[in-house]
Amino acid sequence: KQHQKQKQKQHNKNQDSDAMGIFDVQRRLPIEIKCAKYFELTRRSDTDPVSRTLNMPLPIPILSISYCRSTTNCNCVIHVYPTLQFLYSHHIAAEYISHEVKEYVQAMIFREASHQDQMSEFLQSITQQKQKHKQSLDNANQDASSNEPTASLRIRVLLNHVRQNPLYTIGAISTGVYVIGMKDQFNSYELSSSSMFGERIQYVFDEAGFILYDQTASKSLDEFGPYFIEQYIIMEYLSKHEVAQNVLEHYCNHKETLQLGLQSYNEKQGKGFICWRFLVNETVKAAAVAKKEKVPIKS
């Protein structure tokens, strides 16, 4: 029954993904790239003008979520930024294609900005956004209250222009900063050959929770890495994934036990909580050992 349920859910996702909408003329983003010796330039991603343009990250967030971090009891904001290629998918809402987005893209194409220039402007812009949001974060979730198991996280969607159940890969740059691209956009080849994302992206995950790339070596729920709570908040609101729901509930109600099991997990079956069954087994074992150590031995 569980298998049939998952199969039906995937079928529904595919149907949703196939439903395409026609954007209003004001919401369309036509671009034109001219170059000589195109096929010679495509041999390297750094010199390929089309690849360079489509991989360009836009400093205007397509998804913003605030939450309360349990370790500091402070409000934090997650910003997800799209690549230009993601805008040409049918996973975005037309409202995102604003005058600001159009101006930024046209300016970067007109200047023929390099990977370094694109990333430099992107990082500079998101740094300014962080400082801008810092003052309003303290009051972001003051009135949030709920009886749900994850209520202590006080999660609130501030902005969302992504349609439900998209197919994507997300590159994690730093805490609260993520770039969303097409399904296979952030693959190992692109990351190794790209001067724009290669050194910046620390790990990559997809809509199912699979960790496709990781150089953090972190195994903590509260530290930036493949087990960090932020990526499962993103998955919960983009994909409504069962694994994300389980992680958030355990984070709120059984965090210490989950972290204990995570420390003894050897990652042979893979990284991330997509390997939930193996992690739960380790968690149960760790909890049993901890309980045994607390029981006094009678002489």
Side-chain angles (χ1 to χ4, degrees):
K1 287 182 179 180
Q2 185 67 20
H3 177 69
Q4 289 175 347
K5 183 181 176 183
Q6 288 292 110
K7 192 174 181 181
Q8 183 62 38
K9 189 176 180 181
Q10 185 61 45
H11 178 68
N12 294 339
K13 281 185 180 181
N14 293 337
Q15 284 186 330
D16 291 341
S17 298
D18 291 338
M20 296 187 67
I22 299 175
F23 285 9
D24 186 83
V25 176
Q26 295 179 347
R27 299 293 183 178
R28 296 176 188 175
L29 182 61
I31 60 172
E32 182 179 357
I33 302 169
K34 295 181 180 180
C35 63
K37 299 179 180 180
Y38 172 70
F39 291 104
E40 291 185 15
L41 295 174
T42 57
R43 293 179 181 179
R44 290 183 54 192
S45 62
D46 288 352
T47 58
D48 182 353
V50 176
S51 175
R52 182 175 65 235
T53 304
L54 292 177
N55 283 330
M56 176 175 63
L58 277 65
I60 301 100
I62 199 169
L63 173 68
S64 295
I65 303 173
S66 67
Y67 74 100
C68 179
R69 190 175 298 173
S70 62
T71 51
T72 59
N73 200 30
C74 294
N75 293 323
C76 305
V77 173
I78 303 167
H79 291 301
V80 180
Y81 303 90
T83 61
L84 182 60
Q85 185 175 353
F86 192 75
L87 298 192
Y88 289 93
S89 70
H90 47 268
H91 302 312
I92 72 161
E95 292 75 18
Y96 180 76
I97 311 295
S98 62
H99 182 67
E100 182 185 7
V101 169
K102 287 183 177 182
E103 277 194 339
Y104 180 83
V105 173
Q106 296 296 347
M108 296 299 280
I109 293 175
F110 178 77
R111 289 169 43 199
E112 297 182 357
S114 65
H115 279 178
Q116 289 80 4
D117 291 339
Q118 290 176 8
M119 183 54 70
S120 176
E121 290 202 20
F122 173 73
L123 294 175
Q124 184 179 357
S125 179
I126 63 176
T127 301
Q128 292 173 355
Q129 288 178 25
K130 280 185 177 180
Q131 294 173 351
K132 186 179 178 181
H133 285 96
K134 192 174 181 181
Q135 296 177 352
S136 60
L137 280 181
D138 293 335
N139 301 320
N141 292 322
Q142 247 181 8
D143 300 328
S145 60
S146 172
N147 294 324
E148 294 182 1
T150 59
S152 61
L153 283 170
R154 301 207 297 269
I155 299 172
R156 181 183 174 192
V157 179
L158 306 175
L159 171 76
N160 185 14
H161 293 304
V162 184
R163 293 182 177 178
Q164 194 63 49
N165 299 325
L167 301 177
Y168 60 82
T169 48
I170 289 183
I173 294 179
S174 63
T175 301
V177 180
Y178 301 84
V179 178
I180 186 170
M182 296 299 292
K183 178 66 177 175
D184 297 315
Q185 189 167 0
F186 297 126
N187 56 61
S188 56
Y189 172 76
E190 289 289 343
L191 291 175
S192 61
S193 60
S194 172
S195 60
M196 177 162 56
F197 288 127
E199 298 178 357
R200 301 291 183 180
I201 289 182
Q202 302 301 308
Y203 67 96
V204 176
F205 61 95
D206 65 8
E207 78 283 350
F210 288 102
I211 304 299
L212 309 177
Y213 171 81
D214 175 44
Q215 57 178 8
T216 64
S218 172
K219 291 176 70 176
S220 171
L221 294 164
D222 293 309
E223 294 178 4
F224 185 71
Y227 303 96
F228 190 30
I229 194 63
E230 286 190 350
Q231 84 170 62
Y232 298 96
I233 293 175
I234 295 172
M235 283 176 58
E236 166 65 11
Y237 282 88
L238 289 185
S239 308
K240 298 294 181 184
H241 203 285
E242 187 178 355
V243 169
Q245 295 171 5
N246 289 336
V247 172
L248 294 181
E249 288 182 14
H250 277 69
Y251 180 86
C252 292
N253 304 308
H254 310 287
K255 180 181 174 182
E256 292 182 2
T257 306
L258 186 60
Q259 183 64 60
L260 198 61
L262 184 59
Q263 295 302 323
S264 58
Y265 177 55
N266 56 23
E267 296 183 334
K268 286 183 179 180
Q269 287 79 18
K271 293 185 178 183
F273 284 108
I274 189 64
C275 307
W276 180 257
R277 181 164 59 89
F278 304 103
L279 271 164
V280 167
N281 289 341
E282 293 297 330
T283 302
V284 171
K285 291 178 185 177
V289 171
K291 186 178 180 181
K292 188 176 179 181
E293 289 177 351
K294 290 180 181 180
V295 175
I297 302 174
K298 295 182 180 180
S299 56

